């Protein structure tokens, strides 16, 4: 009889659900300006260039128009879908209904898609003109050398200073415009090796740079961790430094999830789906700087 006891063992299935390691939603949406739109394209801003005031040299002289330069920047939507099925047999084997975890997984996936749109727009081709017919590529003058602060170097104080200098020389209003710099774990580790970043002797105690062991802010620049930054070649990370007003995320339909029963399939499985329609654009070239960083 004892030989038959293992046949009566029960299988206990998990009563908790955990999502595997992943970026949970968008990290970069908060670092850019937002907008909501309808239609096949949208213009988030009409742009007016600088003019020069004319000094009056006499009386009753005719007035001369300033001829204010104008332009228009465009953003285009991309539609995203996500779908997965939960078989009724799978549901019977879990105490907790997994549909909510699937919805969270879907929301995370579409949030990451938002970040991919933003990252592509930072250094990609932007469209301007009355109907978006003019293509503007990212200028080389806004790209630093990977050798700033050391030959083939990673992220360092010298690169941050050079990037901020470019923005200030273009008259980016740092009193009203937040500066953001997304970094991967590699660049974050680079900063932890910079004594000027981690030492209170350089930064004072009123605005701590380190928060819970992470570099939160330095030189007036806010840092956010994101592992999705683009690569330039095999070993150079394209780290962006930008003013918040310099990049725009347009949302036609924000992330929306749904749970339905698929009675057209055997077992009537549950279908979890998510959709979202959004796109991004660079608003102004001189508000964005590319910092190439070597990664080992």
């Amino acid at each position: 009889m004892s030989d038959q006891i293992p046949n009566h063992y029960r299988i206990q299935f998990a009563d908790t659900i955990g999502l595997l390691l992943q970026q949970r939603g968008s990290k970069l949406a908060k670092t850019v300006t937002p907008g909501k739109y309808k239609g096949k394209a949208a213009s988030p801003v009409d742009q007016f260039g600088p003019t020069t005031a004319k000094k009056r040299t006499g009386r009753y002289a005719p007035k001369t128009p300033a001829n204010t330069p104008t332009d228009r920047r465009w953003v285009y939507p991309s539609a995203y879908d996500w779908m997965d099925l939960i078989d009724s047999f799978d549901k019977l084997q879990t105490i907790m209904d997994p549909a909510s975890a699937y919805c969270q997984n879907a929301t995370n996936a579409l949030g990451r898609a938002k970040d991919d749109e933003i990252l592509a727009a930072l250094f990609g081709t932007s469209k301007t003109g009355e109907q978006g017919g003019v293509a503007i590529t990212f200028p080389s003058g806004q790209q630093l050398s990977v050798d700033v602060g050391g030959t083939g170097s990673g992220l360092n104080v010298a690169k941050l200073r050079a990037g901020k200098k470019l923005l200030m020389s273009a008259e980016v209003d740092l009193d009203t415009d937040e500066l953001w710099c997304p970094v991967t774990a590699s660049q974050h580790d680079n900063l932890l090796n910079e004594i000027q970043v981690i030492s209170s002797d350089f930064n004072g105690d009123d605005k701590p740079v380190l928060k819970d062991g992470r570099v939160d802010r330095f030189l007036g620049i806010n840092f956010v961790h994101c592992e999705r930054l683009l690569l330039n070649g095999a070993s150079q990370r394209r780290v962006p430094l930008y003013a918040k007003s310099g990049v725009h995320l347009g949302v036609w339909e924000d992330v929306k999830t749904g749970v339905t029963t698929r009675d057209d399939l055997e077992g009537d499985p549950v279908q979890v789906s998510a959709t979202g329609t959004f796109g991004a654009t660079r608003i102004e070239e001189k508000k964005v700087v590319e910092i190439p960083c070597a990664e080992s």
Side-chain angles (χ1 to χ4, degrees):
M1 290 292 293
S2 60
D3 294 339
Q4 303 302 316
I5 290 177
N7 295 333
H8 299 282
Y9 286 168
R10 295 184 59 190
I11 299 176
Q12 178 66 53
F13 292 98
D15 59 359
T16 60
I17 293 174
L19 298 178
L20 294 178
L21 288 174
Q22 58 184 279
Q23 178 182 306
R24 297 182 178 237
S26 174
K27 295 289 190 72
L28 305 184
K30 66 181 180 181
T31 73
V32 302
T33 59
K36 292 189 175 182
Y37 306 105
K38 294 181 179 179
K40 65 180 182 178
S43 174
V45 60
D46 285 330
Q47 299 170 316
F48 297 87
T51 57
T52 302
K54 180 182 178 183
K55 185 176 181 179
R56 187 183 297 177
T57 58
R59 296 184 179 183
Y60 313 122
K63 293 182 178 180
T64 304
N67 292 322
T68 301
T70 60
D71 208 344
R72 179 175 291 164
R73 194 62 55 121
W74 291 86
V75 61
Y76 299 89
S78 296
Y80 288 86
D81 292 295
W82 186 100
M83 186 275 288
D84 208 346
L85 297 171
I86 307 172
D87 193 88
S88 56
F89 182 73
D90 296 328
K91 291 182 65 177
L92 289 173
Q93 295 185 86
T94 57
I95 297 173
M96 181 181 292
D97 189 338
S100 59
Y102 275 73
C103 288
Q104 185 61 59
N105 220 15
T107 301
N108 288 343
L110 268 74
R112 293 191 293 270
K114 283 185 180 180
D115 283 3
D116 290 343
E117 289 284 331
I118 292 170
L119 291 170
L122 279 164
F123 307 131
T125 299
S126 297
K127 295 297 183 69
T128 67
E130 185 176 353
Q131 299 295 329
V134 181
I136 304 295
T137 59
F138 189 68
S140 60
Q142 294 300 111
Q143 298 170 306
L144 300 184
S145 168
V146 71
D147 297 327
V148 173
T151 303
S153 56
L155 188 59
N156 52 45
V157 172
K159 286 180 177 177
L160 293 174
R161 289 180 57 185
K164 188 172 182 179
K165 181 181 178 181
L166 268 179
L167 297 174
M168 292 181 68
S169 64
E171 299 187 289
V172 173
D173 188 355
L174 301 187
D175 292 327
T176 60
D177 219 344
E178 296 179 0
L179 295 185
W180 285 92
C181 183
V183 294
T184 72
S186 181
Q187 286 83 55
H188 182 268
D189 194 58
N190 293 154
L191 293 178
L192 291 179
N193 282 322
E194 297 281 299
I195 188 65
Q196 291 174 265
V197 174
I198 62 175
S199 174
S200 60
D201 293 338
F202 292 93
N203 301 295
D205 297 323
D206 56 331
K207 290 184 178 180
V209 170
L210 290 178
K211 184 177 180 181
D212 298 327
R214 297 194 302 269
V215 180
D216 185 60
R217 183 178 171 86
F218 179 67
L219 290 177
I221 300 168
N222 301 293
F223 295 92
V224 58
H225 174 223
C226 179
E227 291 293 322
R228 308 181 74 80
L229 303 190
L230 304 177
L231 283 168
N232 181 8
S235 60
Q236 290 184 14
R237 191 70 65 173
R238 306 181 72 181
V239 175
L241 171 63
Y242 54 91
K244 183 172 184 176
S245 66
V247 190
H248 185 78
L249 175 67
V251 177
W252 275 253
E253 179 190 50
D254 212 343
V255 179
K256 181 173 63 177
T257 60
V259 180
T260 56
T261 300
R262 289 289 303 272
D263 54 12
D264 60 318
L265 300 177
E266 286 186 356
D268 295 341
V270 171
Q271 175 177 293
V272 181
S273 60
T275 59
T277 304
F278 34 79
T281 187
R282 188 177 57 251
I283 293 293
E284 201 167 344
E285 280 62 49
K286 290 191 175 182
K287 289 185 177 183
V288 180
V289 174
E290 179 183 346
I291 306 176
C293 294
E295 289 189 351
S296 56

